Amino acid sequence: VDPDLRDQWLARAHAELSSAGRRSGAARTAVIELLAREGQCLLSAQKILDLLRAERRTSGASVYRALEELHDLGLLRRLDASGGVARFEIVAPGRRHHHFVDDSSGSVRPFVDDGLERAIEDAAARLGVVLSGHDVVLRGRSVASMRA
Amino acid sequence: VDPDLRDQWLARAHAELSSAGRRSGAARTAVIELLAREGQCLLSAQKILDLLRAERRTSGASVYRALEELHDLGLLRRLDASGGVARFEIVAPGRRHHHFVDDSSGSVRPFVDDGLERAIEDAAARLGVVLSGHDVVLRGRSVASMRA
DNA sequence: TTATATGCAAAAGCTTTGCATGGGT
DNA sequence: ACCCATGCAAAGCTTTTGCATATAA
């Protein structure tokens, strides 16, 4: 959990929402605060629901509505996973990362790689397209790794 | 539709299935033949169902079972999309491609990019992992493009 | 003959929507 | 006051599963 990232996103979220003319309510506020803390890497809608239900009385409808709203405002990135599950993470300008999924555990590890970033831009240029976003998911096993 | 790719995959599919001790049946055969032709780039399970229902009497259950089986055998690649929708495409060794999704039309265009491929392998090496696969989806708008 | 493949219908799981109520501004 | 946000419950969709039947080997 990166405190700077959390506060920066929290501020931006509130700014975007109020400038979009939205009123604040308990449910969406709870979703936003949770995401700022725990949504720095992929978090499923279901997990968000569980966490919120544990502490507050928040309805599923409101959670899904908040997620869609934040996504539409560009505050969230969305990656769909198997089982009809939607996963979200906060969007922080200039803080791109990709995802590695461990085959054995299924856990997701975020990573940053400038070479990969550059290769994506180059590929887009060769394709003749202007990118609005990109999803890169690597799957495999990490080498427990003896460094002989 | 690439005829070589189609025939090559068809042959491999039948080989893998029989060597796995599976019997052939009408439903799965129909799914396989459809995929060989139309599954060279992402095709949703729903679309497969629609196409098969149009020509044959194939149940949804059998289609989903066939897709899971083929995926488990490594014959299909699976990408989950929004709305709980699963999309599949045939796997052809040495014929990797990535996907570009046009924001305006939503259409998917496959593309090949060696630089990107290399960057992915390099990133994996830096991460200290052995890849079993990767998904790259680029999103944006294609530049209608005046080449002044 | 015997295990597998198939179909139908029901169930499961995630997400969305309708509607009345509560709460910001 | 006005209207948005919320909660509940019902509906929607895709996908999965149980079970009896048909069929490949």
Side-chain angles (χ1 to χ4, degrees):
Chain A
V1 183
D2 176 335
D4 290 343
L5 179 51
R6 179 195 60 197
D7 297 339
Q8 170 190 329
W9 185 81
L10 217 43
R12 190 160 76 90
H14 284 125
E16 294 265 2
L17 282 166
S18 71
S19 90
R22 268 70 223 284
R23 299 179 185 172
S24 83
R28 193 176 56 209
T29 299
V31 171
I32 291 175
E33 290 181 346
L34 179 66
L35 281 166
R37 279 183 285 118
E38 321 259 344
Q40 304 196 357
C41 188
L42 292 174
L43 197 60
S44 73
Q46 215 55 217
K47 185 76 182 178
I48 294 172
L49 249 168
D50 290 347
L51 291 172
L52 286 181
R53 279 210 232 265
E55 38 181 275
R56 319 208 188 200
R57 179 131 306 285
T58 310
S59 80
S62 293
V63 170
Y64 282 107
R65 278 190 279 241
L67 290 173
E68 183 184 348
E69 204 172 346
L70 294 169
H71 181 249
D72 288 347
L73 286 171
L75 288 162
L76 289 182
R77 203 151 92 83
R78 174 187 180 140
L79 259 83
D80 297 284
S82 199
V85 173
R87 294 175 305 172
F88 298 88
E89 66 186 12
I90 65 181
V91 169
R95 294 250 205 161
R96 287 251 166 85
H97 66 257
H98 302 296
H99 298 100
F100 169 72
V101 179
D102 191 297
D103 283 340
S104 26
S105 65
S107 66
V108 179
R109 189 207 310 178
F111 70 92
V112 176
D113 193 290
D114 291 334
L116 184 48
E117 209 71 48
R118 227 174 299 121
I120 289 170
E121 279 159 29
D122 292 349
R126 280 189 284 273
L127 260 179
V129 302
V130 178
L131 291 186
S132 63
H134 57 260
D135 303 327
V136 176
V137 178
L138 270 42
R139 277 173 283 101
R141 314 183 99 82
S142 70
V143 183
S145 189
M146 51 243 123
R147 50 214 121 99
Chain B
V1 184
D2 177 334
D4 290 344
L5 180 51
R6 178 195 59 198
D7 297 339
Q8 171 190 329
W9 185 80
L10 217 42
R12 189 160 76 91
H14 284 124
E16 294 266 3
L17 282 166
S18 71
S19 90
R22 268 69 227 283
R23 299 178 185 172
S24 82
R28 193 175 57 208
T29 300
V31 171
I32 290 175
E33 292 183 344
L34 179 67
L35 281 166
R37 279 183 285 117
E38 321 258 344
Q40 304 196 357
C41 188
L42 294 174
L43 198 60
S44 73
Q46 214 55 221
K47 184 77 182 175
I48 294 172
L49 248 168
D50 290 346
L51 291 172
L52 285 181
R53 279 210 232 266
E55 38 182 274
R56 319 207 186 200
R57 181 131 304 287
T58 311
S59 80
S62 293
V63 171
Y64 283 107
R65 279 191 278 241
L67 290 172
E68 183 184 349
E69 204 173 346
L70 295 169
H71 181 249
D72 288 347
L73 286 171
L75 288 162
L76 289 182
R77 203 150 91 84
R78 173 186 181 141
L79 260 83
D80 297 285
S82 199
V85 172
R87 294 176 304 172
F88 298 87
E89 66 185 11
I90 65 180
V91 168
R95 293 252 206 162
R96 288 253 166 84
H97 66 256
H98 303 297
H99 298 100
F100 169 71
V101 179
D102 191 298
D103 282 338
S104 27
S105 65
S107 66
V108 179
R109 190 207 308 180
F111 70 92
V112 176
D113 193 291
D114 291 335
L116 184 47
E117 210 72 47
R118 228 173 299 121
I120 289 170
E121 279 158 29
D122 292 348
R126 279 190 284 273
L127 258 179
V129 303
V130 177
L131 291 186
S132 63
H134 57 260
D135 303 326
V136 177
V137 178
L138 270 41
R139 277 173 282 101
R141 314 183 99 82
S142 70
V143 183
S145 191
M146 54 236 122
R147 48 215 122 99

